[in-house]
Amino acid sequence: MNNKVAPIFVTIGRVLLALYFLLPGVMKFISWDMHVALMQKHSMVMIPVLLTAAGVFQIAAAFALILNRYTGLVSLLLAGLVLVINFSLHDFWNFSGVEGAHEMQNFVKNLGILAGLLVLAGHSGSQSDIEQR
């Protein structure tokens, strides 16, 4: 690939991943009751604490990615969050029919997001965030 366009693609991918977390992070506060109901449906505990922590973290992490700060660390932390969300909220094995298919689709989609975060973490680990700019 042309060395001049590769950094542009990495930047676009990084910002798109950031938006993937920024918008849901904001929505956790705008649609609080909906998110609480979803977490209750999946028998989660400490819902207000976890929901607040997830929303604040997603927003802060998204801004860090947009600004290309601590990209490797933030990508790995977001990857961990995706794994937790996948196994606690997209537990397709506990559902059947359309609901099970929907949860499986979200689970697999999140594996793609996880892959992107791991690639971004690996890329940023090869050089400092400042050198990337």
Side-chain angles (χ1 to χ4, degrees):
M1 173 167 294
N2 184 331
N3 286 341
K4 293 183 180 184
V5 296
I8 294 169
F9 290 152
V10 171
T11 299
I12 291 169
R14 181 174 42 77
V15 171
L16 289 173
L17 278 170
L19 292 175
Y20 177 81
F21 290 97
L22 178 62
L23 298 176
V26 169
M27 291 308 295
K28 281 177 177 50
F29 298 104
I30 292 173
S31 300
W32 181 266
D33 292 338
M34 180 190 77
H35 286 87
V36 167
L38 173 67
M39 293 172 80
Q40 287 173 335
K41 180 179 180 180
H42 292 273
S43 303
M44 297 207 54
V45 298
M46 298 178 12
I47 293 172
V49 172
L50 292 176
L51 188 54
T52 301
V56 168
F57 175 65
Q58 285 180 313
I59 293 167
F63 279 114
L65 289 182
I66 290 169
L67 298 173
N68 202 21
R69 302 284 186 201
Y70 310 105
T71 304
L73 175 62
V74 168
S75 296
L76 290 175
L77 291 172
L78 284 169
L81 178 66
V82 167
L83 284 172
V84 169
I85 288 171
N86 244 15
F87 286 100
S88 61
L89 293 178
H90 299 305
D91 51 341
F92 61 89
W93 52 90
N94 288 324
F95 298 92
S96 60
V98 173
E99 192 171 17
H102 179 72
E103 293 301 341
M104 180 183 275
Q105 180 182 22
N106 281 325
F107 188 93
V108 172
K109 175 215 25 135
N110 281 356
L111 292 179
I113 300 299
L114 175 65
L117 289 166
L118 294 175
V119 168
L120 185 58
H123 175 76
S124 65
S126 64
Q127 51 188 320
S128 75
D129 290 339
I130 294 172
E131 291 171 344
Q132 289 178 18
R133 285 188 246 168

